[in-house]
Amino acid sequence: MSTGETLIFDIQKNPNPATASEREALLQNPGFGRIFTDHMVTIRYSQDRGWHSAKIEPRKALALDPATVVLHYAQEIFEGMKAYHLPDGGAALFRPSANARRFQNSAERLAMPRLPEELFVESVRELVKIEREWIPTAEGASLYLRPFLIGTEVALGTKPSAEYIYCVIASPVASFFKGGGSAVTLWVSENFTRAAPGGTGAAKCGGNYAASLAALAEGQREGCDQVVFLDAVEKRWIEELGGMNVFFVFDDGSLQTPPLTGTILPGITRDSLIKLGRDMGLTVREEPYSIEQWQADAESGRLRESFACGTAAVVTPIGKVKGRKHSFTIGDGNAGATTQRLKAALTDIQFGRAPDKNEWLDRLF
């Protein structure tokens, strides 16, 4: 039953959940995005009923007709967020309302219905409460949450879907990169563009990530871990990685990150690091930075550190940059002091080891 923007969740427990021993074995080495919990959230939307049929139910496959809109016209958006195990045995989400607002913005760009912020947050909270035993306790591990929305009307024709399903699934995860906290090597994409002005670069939709995969494969063939994209117009301004924002640290202690101009995803980790950096007394600029300047500053020593950031990878140092026209090492090729300091400040808040002065944590239990 719906009351305003609130839905009551019909909770259907999985009759065959993983046993305690099975779950413990899986949590020993979860990797990233390979293991999933017992339950999922589903909420339906239709033009005549709005949001309805909110459920927490056993995780299962979605049944989709071959003519389902999402399969042909890519009406799909998603979020990435985490639940963290706290020192006292409790758990918390990190800035879930920020994810909810970005989810709404993505929906608007993809001509999809906006899920109310309160309903988004409540759906994630309720799923984590049911799956609390799946939250890893190992150092740096967490429960990754993937809310997503897809158009489910059965119809061929270029128009917004009249029906949708919203889901949340959960996956216990360790480090995103196999090397853990070691510095990564980037490939400068010259043949491919992630996003263009007026496009969907600021939306968190699957198409943006699909567009990055050919460039990522090219970079991996060149021995790189990730790809960095340049702007689509001049092809010289640094934008972001395939799924992460990027920062630069200079010899005067200041930080710089590309500005949000509609072609870059407004990362929640990015925003948090800007706030933390300024709280530390650091100068943080949101200004354009060219690939030529990046190489020149790295070679002169003006640039001391670079790092990528995002919910999945948290804060990842960048050691080397390669491309058809570029090849340079940043600092000594390892994680720098400012990168490590910012990562520690962020993760200490997320895991409840430091005071939450910005009130970012949403404690669940």
Side-chain angles (χ1 to χ4, degrees), residues 327-351:
S327 180
F328 55 94
T329 299
I330 298 164
D332 63 0
N334 297 305
T338 300
T339 300
Q340 294 178 1
R341 182 184 176 197
L342 285 167
K343 181 177 182 179
L346 178 64
T347 55
D348 281 350
I349 293 171
Q350 291 173 331
F351 286 95

Side-chain angles (χ1 to χ4, degrees), residues 32-33 41 78-84 92-103 115 117-128 135-136 141-148 166-174 204 209 265 267-269 310-314 350-351 360-362 364:
F32 198 98
V41 169
F78 67 95
E79 274 299 319
M81 51 199 301
K82 290 177 177 177
Y84 302 88
L93 299 170
F94 182 73
R95 303 186 66 185
S97 292
N99 289 97
R101 290 189 292 271
R102 187 170 66 182
F103 198 69
L115 183 72
E117 180 179 325
E118 297 82 358
L119 187 53
F120 177 100
V121 174
E122 188 64 17
S123 70
V124 177
R125 287 174 59 90
E126 290 302 312
L127 181 62
V128 175
I135 303 175
S142 56
L143 183 64
Y144 185 83
L145 301 156
R146 173 52 61 87
F148 64 96
Y166 165 77
C167 299
V168 188
I169 55 176
S171 173
V173 298
K204 197 167 179 67
Y209 295 81
L265 184 73
I268 293 163
T269 304
T311 297
V314 193
Q350 291 173 331
F351 286 95
W360 283 337
L361 288 185
D362 179 8
L364 303 175

